[in-house]
Amino acid sequence: MSALLRGIVAYPITPFTSKGRVDEVLLGKIVDDMVKAGVHAIAPLGSTGVLPYLSDDEREQVAEIVIKRVAGRVPTLVGVSSLTTERTVHHAKHAEKLGASAVMIIPMSYWKLSDAEIITHYDTVAKRIAIPIAVYNNPATGGLDLSPDVISRLLKIQNVTMVKESTGDVNRMHRLVQLCGEDVAFYNGSNPLALAAFVAGARGWCTAAPNIIPKLNIELYDAIQRGDVAAARQSFYRQLPFLQFIVAHGLPRAISAALELQGASVGPLRAPLQALPAERVEELRRILVGLEVIPGE
Amino acid sequence: MSALLRGIVAYPITPFTSKGRVDEVLLGKIVDDMVKAGVHAIAPLGSTGVLPYLSDDEREQVAEIVIKRVAGRVPTLVGVSSLTTERTVHHAKHAEKLGASAVMIIPMSYWKLSDAEIITHYDTVAKRIAIPIAVYNNPATGGLDLSPDVISRLLKIQNVTMVKESTGDVNRMHRLVQLCGEDVAFYNGSNPLALAAFVAGARGWCTAAPNIIPKLNIELYDAIQRGDVAAARQSFYRQLPFLQFIVAHGLPRAISAALELQGASVGPLRAPLQALPAERVEELRRILVGLEVIPGE
Amino acid sequence: MSALLRGIVAYPITPFTSKGRVDEVLLGKIVDDMVKAGVHAIAPLGSTGVLPYLSDDEREQVAEIVIKRVAGRVPTLVGVSSLTTERTVHHAKHAEKLGASAVMIIPMSYWKLSDAEIITHYDTVAKRIAIPIAVYNNPATGGLDLSPDVISRLLKIQNVTMVKESTGDVNRMHRLVQLCGEDVAFYNGSNPLALAAFVAGARGWCTAAPNIIPKLNIELYDAIQRGDVAAARQSFYRQLPFLQFIVAHGLPRAISAALELQGASVGPLRAPLQALPAERVEELRRILVGLEVIPGE
Amino acid sequence: MSALLRGIVAYPITPFTSKGRVDEVLLGKIVDDMVKAGVHAIAPLGSTGVLPYLSDDEREQVAEIVIKRVAGRVPTLVGVSSLTTERTVHHAKHAEKLGASAVMIIPMSYWKLSDAEIITHYDTVAKRIAIPIAVYNNPATGGLDLSPDVISRLLKIQNVTMVKESTGDVNRMHRLVQLCGEDVAFYNGSNPLALAAFVAGARGWCTAAPNIIPKLNIELYDAIQRGDVAAARQSFYRQLPFLQFIVAHGLPRAISAALELQGASVGPLRAPLQALPAERVEELRRILVGLEVIPGE
C-alpha cells in the first residue's frame, strides 16, 4: 500500500478552557486555520497535542472534533499511542471508526522494550485495523530509540506504511533509504532538520510550526519541490530561529505562548507542565515580530 | 521530620492471573514471604510492580492488598506517580487513606520538565497529604534526570524527607551528602551499586531482589551495619550476578521468570512486555542454582 | 580576508615504503592523480594523512613533497596541529615558508582545554604567520568539542578565516551561519553529511574519498552548484556506502585498503594501526566493484 | 607474577623553571616530600606530570630524576605511553634501564584502535621488557575506552599484571573482579571514587592528591585496611571537595595552583595549558584552608 501523506503534516495543540477542559471551539478554529492556510495533512493527538496528559475520554473527544472539522479536506493522522498494547488497540480502533486516514504510534516506554516486544506491539495493533499506521521514533520523548533496522522490519507489517523520524540525525534517514529503498515513506519530525530531510528524500515534515507560521512551512516545501535550493535555504534560515525556539522550550509551552501572543486564549497547560516564563515569552515575541507574525512596537 | 525507612526496602512484583487480572492471592503471599524473611520495608507499585502499566483501579487494588497484608509489621512505601499532577495527588491521597507509611514519586516525563515544574509538582502533592514523600530519581525509566541540586531543593519541602537515587552513579550520592548534610536520608535504587552506596552512607537499598534472595540482601546490609567490610564484599560479589541479570533484562521480566523457576505461577506480563526468552531463562536458572535458590540437576 | 577554498578539498593518505618510511614517489602520484581528476584543493597532513603518528621531520617532508607536486595548480591546506602551542607554531611557520596556501589546526587535547586556552592557542599561531588558518573541529579524533560560539570567536582572529566542522551534526552548521552570517566559510568534514552540508551552505567538503572516487565527489558538488537537487541526491546515495565504510573503519585503514585493491602498494600502516581485516577488505571490494572503481569478477 | 603495588600511588606534577625547562630541583623535592609522608609508590610521567606535552628528552630526564631521588625507598611506576608503538617501546626500555619497578601504558588514541590493535600494542611492548606493565584506562584523556573484557585479555599477556581504571564507574571494577578473579590487581584512578573502589577490592589508589594532602590519602587507605568503615567515610568526605576540585579543573592546573598557594614556585604550565584563573585559585584556597593545609586569614 502506498503512503498517502506528503508535504506539511500539521500538529495542532490541544487548547483548554480556563477550567482545564478541552476547548472544542478553539481547537476547531486552529485546525480550520491550518487547512485554509494550505497544510497537506492534520495530525491531532501528537506530542504537541499533549496526548499522554489526556484521559482516554479526552483523547476520543479531540480525535472526533478534529476529524469532523477537517471533513476530508486533507488527510488526518491521529495519534493513538499508549503504554499498553490493549489501550493502543482501543484508540486505534476508535480513530478508524471516526474516519481517520491513518494512525501514528510511538512505542511509549517505561521499561525499555526488546525488538520482539516492539514488533509484536505494532503487529497486534495492525491486525485490528485496516487503515495505515505510521511508526513514530522519538527517543527524547518516548524514551525508546528504534534503530533503522527495527523500523525496516516494522515497515514489513501489512499496513505499517510510514515512519516519522524525530531523532534529528539525517544519517538515520539515509539508513532507511538504504534499507527500504528510495520509495520508503519517511517523514521528518525534527523541526531544525527540515531542509536536510527534504533534500535526503523525506516525503513530508511533521511539525507544530503551522499553528503559527503555516505559510513559511509550505514555502520551504514548495521551494524544494521545484528544485530551488537557494530559495529553500533562504526560507529555512528565516524560520529557523522560531523552529529552534519551539524545540528548545517544548512544543506545547512554546506554541501555546505564541498563540497567546497572537491574541488567542489557549488556557492553562496541564500540570505539571507550566506556561513559558515571562522572559522566554519576550524572546519569542521578538522572533515573531521578526517574522511579521505579530506587529512590532 | 526524620525518615522512617532503613535497610532493605523490598519491591514486590505485581503478579497476574491467567486472564490478566491482578493475582491478589499470590501478591499477598509474595509480600508475606518478604516480611517473614526479614526485609525492613515493603514498597508496592514500583517499577518492578509495573505501576505505569496498571489502570487507576488496579493501582488502588494493589495498594490495598499490600498494606492490609503487611498489617503494620514493617513500614510501607507506596508508588503513586502519574504523568499529571492531578492523578498523582489522587493516588497519594488514596495511599494515605489506606494507611501507607509513605509514598514514592518519580516525576514521570513525556515533555522534559523544568526545575520549576518539578518543584511545583512535588509541592502540590505534599500540601495534600500528611505522610512523608520519597523523591525517586531514575532517568532510565522516568526519562528525566533530577540533579543533586534539584533534589536538595525538593528535600526542603515540608514532608519530602527521602530520596531514592537510581542513576547508578555513587558521585550523585556524594553530592547529596555535601548539599544536604550527612543526615540526608538517601536510598540506593541501583542494585549493582548496593555495596558502594551503603559505604557512602545510604540509609537503605530499594530493591526487587528480595522477591527471590531476601536473606542475601539482608546479609549484606547486616555486614555493613557491623562494619565488616570483608564479609560485605564477599556477600556482594556472591549476589552480584543475580543483581546484574535482573537489571540487564528488566526487573518485571527477570523477577517473574525467577519466581516461575521457583514454582510460582505469576501469569503473563502486561503487553507489550513479554516473558524472558528461553535462553535467558536458562542463564537465570544457572545463576539461581549457583545461589542455591533452586536445586541443581 | 575572504576564504580561498571551495568545492572538493582532498586529503591524501601518507603512504609508506615497506621499511616504514614515507613513500615520496607514491605520495606524489596520489596527489597528482587527485589534481588531474579535478579536485579543488589538496590538504596534506590531515587525519587521513596520519599526522599525529609522524615525527616532526616526516611532517615537514610530507608538506614539502605535496606542495611541490601540486605546484600551484590548486590551493594547498596543510595540517600543522600539535599538542603544544610551540610545536604548532613551528609547523605553521614551516608550512608558510614552503608556500602553503593555508594551514589547518585542530586543538589536540589530552587535558580538556578551556575556551581561553583554545583562543590563546589559535591567536598565538595566527600572530606568527600571514597565511589563512582553518579551524578544525573533530571531537571524535581530537577529543575536544569546539562549540559554535567558540568557533565564532576564533573566526574573529585576524587570519582565522575558515572552519572545518566534522561533528556530523548539521545543526552545528546552522548555528555557525546564525552566529557569523551567511558568508561564513564553513566546510564539512563528515563524509555522510556531504549532501546536507552543501544544502545548508557549506563552501566545501573536506574528504579523503578523492583518493579513490574523485569524479563522484566532484559530480555531487557540481549538481549542487547548478541547483539540481535530484541529481545531487542520486549521486550522494550512490557514493554513500563507500563514505560510510571509510568512516566506520577509519580513514587511513580504509583508504589504504582501497588503494591496494586498485593495485597500489601503500605499505604498512604505522603501529599500533593495522591493516583492515580480510573480511572487511572483501566488503570494501564489493562496494568498489559496485562503483565500477575496480573490475568485478 | 604478583603485582607489587598497593596503597597510595602518588603522581608528582612536572614543575618547570621560569624559562619553561623541567625544574629538576623542585621535582626532586616534591617526590622526596611524598616518600617522607608515607606514600606507597611514586608514578612519574602520568597525566598529572603532563607526559604528552613533554619532548622525548624531557620524558627521559624526568624519569631519571624521579627514580634516582626515590632511590628504592618505594616502588616506581613510570608512564611510557606514546601514540606509536615504536615510541612506547623506546620509552619502556629506557625506564627499565633506569631501574623503574614497573611501567604504565595508556593506549593513546587519535584513530580509535580496534581490540586487535590494542592487544598487539601491549604485546609488542611486553615482549621487549622484563618489568611489569600496568594497563591504564582513561577514556576522558586517552580518547579510547578499554572494556573490562579487553582488559582481562591484556592481563593474560606475560608481564601485564596491573590495571588502573579511571572511568569513575565502580561497575567496571566489579566486572574486572568477575572476569579475572578476586586477586586481580586493579587500581582506582578516579579520585572521587576512592572510597567505593577500595571497598570493591582495589589494591591501590593512583592519585595526584599526595602532591598536597598525602596524610589524608594515607589515612583513608589505613582506615579501610583495618576495616573501619565509619572512619574511612569520614576521612573520604573530608578530602572530597579537594578531590572534586582537582578533577574538575584538570590535575596539572589544580595541583600547580595548590603548590603555589603553599609557597612553591612551579613555573608556567606548558601552552596551550594555562594557570588556573584567579577566582578558581580563591576557591581552592578556601578548600585548602578548610583542610588546614595552608593557614587561614
Side-chain angles (χ1 to χ4, degrees):
Chain A
M1 165 171 202
S2 83
L4 72 173
L5 299 178
R6 63 165 192 88
I8 305 301
V9 182
Y11 283 68
I13 65 155
T14 300
F16 297 98
T17 65
S18 60
K19 298 207 169 162
R21 303 215 181 91
V22 172
D23 186 335
E24 303 202 353
V25 176
L26 182 52
L27 177 55
K29 182 184 181 303
I30 289 171
V31 166
D32 201 54
D33 286 351
M34 285 172 163
V35 174
K36 284 178 180 157
V39 303
H40 307 95
I42 297 286
L45 295 167
S47 302
T48 305
V50 294
L51 170 74
Y53 301 82
L54 301 180
S55 71
D56 283 0
D57 287 349
E58 288 171 327
R59 292 169 58 150
E60 301 186 357
Q61 180 188 8
V62 167
E64 187 166 358
I65 296 165
V66 173
I67 291 171
K68 279 195 176 157
R69 188 62 174 254
V70 169
R73 289 177 288 172
V74 295
T76 51
L77 174 67
V78 178
V80 299
S81 314
S82 284
L83 200 61
T84 64
T85 304
E86 183 270 328
R87 284 288 88 189
T88 309
V89 167
H90 170 88
H91 289 296
K93 290 180 67 174
H94 189 264
E96 179 176 39
K97 198 169 136 194
L98 287 171
S101 311
V103 295
M104 170 161 288
I105 299 174
I106 184 171
M108 294 170 84
S109 148
Y110 187 83
W111 288 108
K112 298 285 168 277
L113 302 179
S114 69
D115 290 355
E117 289 171 339
I118 293 165
I119 289 165
T120 301
H121 182 63
Y122 279 93
D123 194 56
T124 303
V125 183
K127 284 200 169 74
R128 304 292 297 280
I129 58 173
I131 56 176
I133 295 174
V135 174
Y136 178 19
N137 186 36
N138 190 347
T141 55
L144 193 70
D145 194 359
L146 306 179
S147 68
D149 181 61
V150 166
I151 293 173
S152 75
R153 289 162 64 190
L154 292 173
L155 288 171
K156 285 180 182 137
I157 297 173
Q158 174 75 27
N159 48 336
V160 177
T161 59
M162 301 170 278
V163 55
K164 172 181 171 188
E165 243 298 337
S166 293
T167 51
D169 180 0
V170 74
N171 290 300
R172 297 292 190 101
M173 299 174 177
H174 300 158
R175 286 298 297 150
L176 285 173
V177 171
Q178 292 180 307
L179 286 168
C180 307
E182 61 179 26
D183 289 333
V184 60
F186 71 90
Y187 302 78
N188 169 47
S190 171
N191 284 303
L193 209 68
L195 178 61
F198 275 133
V199 173
R203 199 165 295 204
W205 174 16
C206 295
T207 173
N211 283 282
I212 310 296
I213 53 165
K215 295 290 187 195
L216 278 170
N217 306 141
I218 295 164
E219 171 188 284
L220 170 55
Y221 176 65
D222 288 345
I224 290 288
Q225 287 303 100
R226 64 175 192 271
D228 189 341
V229 174
R233 186 188 300 152
Q234 189 174 32
S235 177
F236 172 71
Y237 277 112
R238 183 157 148 73
Q239 59 193 290
L240 182 57
F242 178 71
L243 302 178
Q244 291 168 328
F245 185 92
I246 63 177
V247 169
H249 301 294
L251 298 172
R253 293 187 203 92
I255 296 294
S256 295
L259 284 166
E260 293 269 352
L261 284 168
Q262 286 186 304
S265 192
V266 299
L269 286 166
R270 188 147 284 183
L273 299 181
Q274 294 179 8
L276 214 57
E279 68 271 24
R280 294 300 182 194
V281 173
E282 194 44 45
E283 190 183 333
L284 177 58
R285 179 198 302 275
R286 285 192 298 269
I287 292 172
L288 294 179
V289 168
L291 291 173
E292 295 171 25
V293 167
I294 58 174
E297 280 144 306
Chain B
M1 168 168 198
S2 83
L4 72 172
L5 299 179
R6 63 167 190 89
I8 305 301
V9 182
Y11 283 68
I13 65 155
T14 299
F16 296 98
T17 66
S18 59
K19 300 208 167 159
R21 301 213 184 94
V22 173
D23 185 334
E24 301 203 354
V25 176
L26 183 52
L27 176 55
K29 183 183 179 306
I30 289 170
V31 166
D32 202 52
D33 286 351
M34 285 171 163
V35 175
K36 284 177 180 157
V39 304
H40 307 93
I42 297 286
L45 296 168
S47 303
T48 305
V50 294
L51 170 75
Y53 300 81
L54 302 181
S55 71
D56 283 359
D57 285 348
E58 289 172 325
R59 292 168 59 150
E60 300 186 357
Q61 180 189 8
V62 168
E64 188 167 355
I65 295 165
V66 173
I67 291 170
K68 278 195 178 158
R69 187 62 173 255
V70 169
R73 289 177 289 172
V74 296
T76 52
L77 175 66
V78 178
V80 299
S81 314
S82 286
L83 200 61
T84 64
T85 304
E86 183 270 328
R87 284 287 89 187
T88 308
V89 167
H90 170 87
H91 289 297
K93 288 178 67 172
H94 188 264
E96 179 178 38
K97 200 170 134 191
L98 288 171
S101 311
V103 296
M104 170 161 289
I105 299 174
I106 185 171
M108 295 171 84
S109 149
Y110 187 83
W111 288 107
K112 297 287 168 278
L113 302 180
S114 68
D115 290 355
E117 289 171 340
I118 293 166
I119 288 165
T120 302
H121 182 62
Y122 278 94
D123 195 56
T124 303
V125 183
K127 283 199 170 76
R128 304 291 298 278
I129 58 173
I131 56 175
I133 295 174
V135 174
Y136 177 19
N137 186 36
N138 191 348
T141 55
L144 193 70
D145 193 359
L146 305 179
S147 68
D149 181 62
V150 166
I151 293 173
S152 75
R153 289 162 66 191
L154 291 173
L155 288 171
K156 285 180 182 135
I157 298 172
Q158 174 75 27
N159 47 334
V160 177
T161 60
M162 302 171 276
V163 55
K164 172 182 171 189
E165 243 297 338
S166 293
T167 51
D169 180 0
V170 74
N171 289 299
R172 298 292 190 100
M173 298 171 178
H174 299 157
R175 286 298 297 150
L176 284 173
V177 171
Q178 291 180 307
L179 286 168
C180 306
E182 62 180 26
D183 289 334
V184 60
F186 71 90
Y187 302 78
N188 170 48
S190 171
N191 285 303
L193 209 68
L195 178 61
F198 275 133
V199 173
R203 200 165 295 203
W205 174 16
C206 295
T207 174
N211 283 280
I212 310 297
I213 52 166
K215 295 291 186 195
L216 278 171
N217 306 141
I218 296 164
E219 170 188 285
L220 170 56
Y221 176 65
D222 288 345
I224 290 287
Q225 287 302 100
R226 65 175 192 272
D228 189 341
V229 174
R233 186 188 299 153
Q234 189 174 30
S235 177
F236 172 70
Y237 277 112
R238 181 156 150 73
Q239 58 193 292
L240 183 57
F242 178 72
L243 303 178
Q244 291 168 328
F245 185 93
I246 62 178
V247 169
H249 301 293
L251 298 172
R253 294 185 201 92
I255 296 294
S256 295
L259 283 165
E260 294 269 352
L261 284 169
Q262 286 185 304
S265 192
V266 299
L269 286 166
R270 189 146 284 184
L273 298 181
Q274 294 179 7
L276 213 57
E279 68 271 25
R280 294 302 180 193
V281 173
E282 196 43 46
E283 189 183 334
L284 177 58
R285 180 197 302 276
R286 284 193 297 271
I287 291 171
L288 294 180
V289 168
L291 290 174
E292 294 171 27
V293 166
I294 58 174
E297 280 144 306
Chain C
M1 167 172 200
S2 83
L4 71 172
L5 299 179
R6 63 167 191 89
I8 304 301
V9 181
Y11 282 68
I13 64 155
T14 301
F16 295 98
T17 66
S18 60
K19 300 206 168 163
R21 303 215 182 93
V22 173
D23 185 335
E24 302 202 353
V25 175
L26 183 52
L27 177 56
K29 182 183 179 306
I30 289 170
V31 166
D32 201 54
D33 286 351
M34 286 172 162
V35 174
K36 283 177 180 159
V39 303
H40 307 93
I42 297 285
L45 295 168
S47 303
T48 306
V50 293
L51 169 75
Y53 301 81
L54 302 180
S55 70
D56 283 0
D57 286 349
E58 288 172 326
R59 292 168 61 149
E60 300 187 356
Q61 179 190 8
V62 167
E64 187 166 357
I65 295 166
V66 173
I67 292 171
K68 278 196 176 156
R69 188 60 173 255
V70 170
R73 289 176 289 172
V74 295
T76 51
L77 174 66
V78 178
V80 299
S81 313
S82 287
L83 200 62
T84 64
T85 304
E86 183 271 327
R87 284 287 90 187
T88 309
V89 167
H90 170 87
H91 289 296
K93 290 179 66 173
H94 187 264
E96 179 177 38
K97 200 171 137 193
L98 288 171
S101 311
V103 295
M104 170 160 291
I105 299 174
I106 185 170
M108 295 170 84
S109 150
Y110 187 83
W111 289 106
K112 297 287 169 274
L113 302 180
S114 69
D115 290 355
E117 289 171 340
I118 293 165
I119 290 166
T120 302
H121 181 63
Y122 279 93
D123 195 56
T124 303
V125 182
K127 284 199 170 76
R128 304 291 297 280
I129 58 173
I131 56 176
I133 295 174
V135 173
Y136 178 19
N137 186 36
N138 190 347
T141 53
L144 193 70
D145 193 359
L146 305 179
S147 68
D149 182 62
V150 166
I151 293 173
S152 75
R153 289 162 66 192
L154 291 173
L155 288 171
K156 286 182 181 134
I157 297 172
Q158 173 76 26
N159 46 336
V160 178
T161 59
M162 302 171 276
V163 56
K164 172 182 172 188
E165 242 298 338
S166 293
T167 51
D169 180 1
V170 73
N171 290 300
R172 298 292 189 100
M173 297 172 177
H174 299 157
R175 287 297 299 149
L176 285 173
V177 171
Q178 291 180 307
L179 286 168
C180 306
E182 61 178 26
D183 288 335
V184 60
F186 71 91
Y187 301 79
N188 170 47
S190 171
N191 284 302
L193 207 68
L195 178 61
F198 274 133
V199 173
R203 199 165 295 203
W205 174 15
C206 296
T207 174
N211 283 281
I212 310 296
I213 52 165
K215 294 290 187 195
L216 277 171
N217 305 141
I218 295 164
E219 171 188 283
L220 171 56
Y221 177 65
D222 287 346
I224 290 287
Q225 287 302 101
R226 65 175 192 272
D228 189 341
V229 174
R233 186 188 301 153
Q234 188 175 32
S235 176
F236 172 69
Y237 277 112
R238 182 157 150 72
Q239 59 193 292
L240 182 57
F242 178 71
L243 302 179
Q244 291 169 328
F245 185 93
I246 62 177
V247 169
H249 300 292
L251 299 172
R253 294 185 202 92
I255 296 294
S256 294
L259 284 165
E260 294 269 353
L261 284 168
Q262 286 186 304
S265 193
V266 300
L269 287 166
R270 188 147 286 184
L273 299 181
Q274 294 178 8
L276 214 56
E279 68 272 23
R280 294 301 180 192
V281 173
E282 194 44 44
E283 190 183 334
L284 177 58
R285 180 198 303 276
R286 285 192 298 270
I287 292 172
L288 293 180
V289 168
L291 291 173
E292 296 171 26
V293 167
I294 57 174
E297 279 145 308
Chain D
M1 166 170 199
S2 82
L4 72 172
L5 298 179
R6 62 166 192 89
I8 304 302
V9 181
Y11 283 68
I13 64 157
T14 300
F16 296 98
T17 66
S18 58
K19 298 206 168 160
R21 303 214 181 92
V22 173
D23 184 335
E24 303 202 352
V25 176
L26 183 52
L27 177 55
K29 181 183 180 308
I30 289 170
V31 166
D32 201 54
D33 286 351
M34 286 172 162
V35 175
K36 283 178 181 159
V39 303
H40 307 95
I42 297 286
L45 296 167
S47 302
T48 307
V50 295
L51 169 75
Y53 300 82
L54 302 180
S55 70
D56 284 359
D57 286 349
E58 287 171 328
R59 291 168 60 150
E60 301 187 357
Q61 179 189 9
V62 167
E64 186 165 357
I65 295 165
V66 172
I67 291 170
K68 279 196 177 158
R69 188 61 174 254
V70 169
R73 288 176 290 173
V74 296
T76 51
L77 174 67
V78 178
V80 298
S81 314
S82 286
L83 200 61
T84 65
T85 304
E86 182 270 328
R87 283 288 89 188
T88 309
V89 168
H90 170 87
H91 289 296
K93 290 178 66 172
H94 188 265
E96 179 177 38
K97 198 169 135 193
L98 287 171
S101 312
V103 295
M104 169 161 289
I105 299 174
I106 186 170
M108 295 170 85
S109 148
Y110 187 82
W111 289 106
K112 296 288 168 274
L113 302 180
S114 69
D115 290 355
E117 289 171 339
I118 293 165
I119 289 165
T120 302
H121 181 62
Y122 278 93
D123 195 57
T124 303
V125 182
K127 284 200 170 74
R128 304 291 297 280
I129 58 173
I131 56 176
I133 295 174
V135 174
Y136 178 19
N137 186 37
N138 190 347
T141 54
L144 193 69
D145 193 358
L146 305 180
S147 69
D149 182 62
V150 166
I151 293 173
S152 75
R153 288 162 67 191
L154 291 173
L155 288 170
K156 285 181 182 135
I157 297 172
Q158 174 75 27
N159 48 334
V160 177
T161 59
M162 302 170 276
V163 56
K164 172 182 172 189
E165 244 296 339
S166 294
T167 51
D169 180 359
V170 73
N171 290 299
R172 299 292 189 100
M173 297 172 178
H174 299 158
R175 287 297 297 149
L176 285 173
V177 171
Q178 291 180 307
L179 286 168
C180 307
E182 61 179 24
D183 288 334
V184 59
F186 72 90
Y187 301 80
N188 170 48
S190 171
N191 285 303
L193 209 67
L195 178 61
F198 274 133
V199 173
R203 199 165 294 205
W205 175 16
C206 295
T207 174
N211 283 281
I212 310 297
I213 54 165
K215 295 291 187 194
L216 278 171
N217 306 141
I218 295 164
E219 170 189 284
L220 170 55
Y221 176 65
D222 287 345
I224 290 288
Q225 286 303 98
R226 66 175 192 271
D228 189 342
V229 175
R233 186 188 300 152
Q234 189 173 31
S235 177
F236 172 70
Y237 278 112
R238 182 157 150 73
Q239 59 194 291
L240 183 57
F242 178 72
L243 302 178
Q244 292 169 325
F245 185 93
I246 63 177
V247 169
H249 301 293
L251 298 173
R253 293 185 202 93
I255 296 294
S256 294
L259 284 166
E260 294 269 352
L261 284 169
Q262 286 186 305
S265 194
V266 300
L269 287 165
R270 188 147 286 184
L273 299 181
Q274 295 179 6
L276 213 57
E279 67 272 24
R280 295 300 181 194
V281 173
E282 193 44 44
E283 190 183 335
L284 177 58
R285 179 198 303 275
R286 284 192 299 269
I287 292 171
L288 294 180
V289 168
L291 291 173
E292 296 171 26
V293 166
I294 57 174
E297 279 145 307

